[in-house]
Amino acid sequence: MELKQLQYFMAICDELHFSRAAEKMGVSAPNVSQQIRRLEEELGVLLFDRLGKTIVLTDAGAILQEHGAAVFQHLQQASHAIADLKQMQGGSLSIGVLPGDADLMFNSLLLDFHQAYPTISLSLLETMKVTEQVCDRSIDVGVTIGPVTDERLTSIPLFHEEFSLAVSKNDPLASENFIPLNRLHDLKMVTFPPDHQCRKLIDRFCMDKGFDIQPHMVTTTLSSLLHMVQSGVGACVLPRLLLDNLHNTDIKVVHLRNPTPSQDICLIYRSDRYIGYAMRTFIKSLKAYIETAIRHSKSS
């Protein structure tokens, strides 16, 4: 049974006349008659009794009319639900980020997004398996380190993230614009734990220069790191975009050179999934948020 055949059948039920039903559907009367004959042959029953120029529903026709009405009602409800979604009437999205990025990037974004789109539900998950969980559909989108080359995924570059040194305003280094990376070997450092993605990046760059960081203190939270830096306990390497947007006058940013630790950040989702209103809106908001943060960083 084809949907078009069911549409023709329902039109005849409304009109109880083949020619008027054909006119209503914008097709020829022979075409309608042919489709109804095929439908009756497929079902093995007559749907209409033809009494001269008058037609009436058979018992089988009455059953099909009832269920056909339900089919088109459900289709209309689906259409309305999708229209509501497009018009900000609802929607949900699950987002996977690497551990620590919820603090580093997303807290302010999520608040702003909720205020702008209160009917869209967001779920933020910190996970070391961002790519894997996007692939197995346990999360809708992921923000992770690029490049991501899995053919099942679409990757959208977000920004190139550079890291800088944060020190107390009273630290002797606060007057410096930049220092070489190997100076970190001699500094009292406060850091994330070794399994944190930011720490892994810094350790890798330092190892390439032939030394290891020996932290004075380790903590899992960004707020604790910033508090210890501000209090003069030690220095910390963090994303420059974050540091420039802190607007904390008690913390000074010193750029790192030769080399500058950096990585590419991208957003990923399955290439075969429908990009609904919630996802489109979130991606647009995330890009705008990052662009604003970069402008503030360059002007600071």
Side-chain angles (χ1 to χ4, degrees):
M1 183 187 302
E2 297 177 358
L3 184 61
K4 181 63 69 177
Q5 290 174 325
L6 190 57
Q7 288 175 322
Y8 289 165
F9 170 77
M10 295 300 291
I12 297 170
C13 290
D14 291 339
E15 302 293 335
L16 290 178
H17 195 282
F18 276 69
S19 295
R20 289 198 298 268
E23 184 178 352
K24 181 178 181 179
M25 296 298 297
V27 296
S28 67
N31 189 8
V32 170
S33 297
Q34 183 183 44
Q35 292 297 328
I36 295 302
R37 278 197 302 272
R38 288 179 180 175
L39 183 56
E40 289 176 329
E41 289 171 0
E42 179 183 344
L43 296 175
V45 294
L46 289 176
L47 298 173
F48 299 99
D49 277 333
R50 298 157 177 84
L51 307 174
K53 294 184 178 180
T54 304
I55 60 173
V56 294
L57 281 168
T58 63
D59 290 342
I63 292 173
L64 183 59
Q65 182 188 31
E66 179 182 354
H67 288 280
V71 167
F72 287 110
Q73 182 180 11
H74 285 304
L75 288 174
Q76 186 177 44
Q77 289 173 348
S79 178
H80 289 165
I82 292 171
D84 286 346
L85 192 61
K86 291 179 179 178
Q87 296 170 12
M88 300 171 51
Q89 297 301 311
S92 62
L93 188 70
S94 56
I95 307 152
V97 299
L98 294 168
D101 278 356
D103 286 333
L104 296 176
M105 184 185 302
F106 282 93
N107 281 345
S108 297
L109 169 63
L110 293 182
L111 179 60
D112 293 344
F113 188 86
H114 174 70
Q115 291 173 342
Y117 307 99
T119 58
I120 296 179
S121 299
L122 294 184
S123 174
L124 186 67
L125 172 69
E126 287 193 331
T127 173
M128 291 297 294
K129 298 180 178 180
V130 173
T131 301
E132 294 90 333
Q133 290 189 252
V134 172
C135 285
D136 67 21
R137 304 180 191 274
S138 57
I139 54 178
D140 297 318
V141 298
V143 177
T144 189
I145 299 168
V148 175
T149 57
D150 193 307
E151 62 182 11
R152 295 169 294 177
L153 301 175
T154 294
S155 177
I156 300 176
L158 292 177
F159 64 103
H160 182 71
E161 181 176 58
E162 295 187 350
F163 286 70
S164 295
L165 186 70
V167 299
S168 165
K169 68 177 182 180
N170 299 317
D171 191 290
L173 286 177
S175 60
E176 301 285 344
N177 289 325
F178 65 89
I179 62 170
L181 182 71
N182 58 17
R183 285 282 301 277
L184 298 184
H185 183 262
D186 304 318
L187 299 183
K188 184 184 291 187
M189 300 290 295
V190 293
T191 71
F192 286 117
D195 61 348
H196 191 283
Q197 56 101 2
C198 287
R199 172 72 182 277
K200 288 181 178 179
L201 175 81
I202 303 307
D203 284 350
R204 186 173 75 250
F205 271 81
C206 291
M207 289 178 63
D208 288 345
K209 296 296 288 185
F211 69 95
D212 295 325
I213 290 179
Q214 300 297 327
H216 180 67
M217 194 170 292
V218 174
T219 180
T220 59
T221 66
L222 175 64
S223 59
S224 295
L225 282 179
L226 294 174
H227 179 71
M228 286 189 284
V229 171
Q230 183 175 327
S231 301
V233 174
C236 182
V237 178
L238 288 169
R240 179 181 173 186
L241 199 60
L242 165 73
L243 294 172
D244 287 345
N245 282 274
L246 282 178
H247 308 299
N248 187 331
T249 57
D250 292 325
I251 294 177
K252 297 299 181 181
V253 179
V254 181
H255 302 309
L256 295 171
R257 301 277 181 85
N258 302 321
T260 300
S262 63
Q263 60 188 7
D264 292 314
I265 303 297
C266 64
L267 180 142
I268 58 174
Y269 58 87
R270 282 192 64 105
S271 301
D272 60 358
R273 69 160 291 148
Y274 170 71
I275 309 303
Y277 177 78
M279 184 184 291
R280 292 198 309 273
T281 304
F282 175 76
I283 293 175
K284 179 181 178 181
S285 298
L286 176 59
K287 287 182 174 180
Y289 176 80
I290 291 172
E291 289 173 1
T292 299
I294 291 174
R295 284 198 301 270
H296 287 169
S297 176
K298 291 180 178 179
S299 64
S300 62

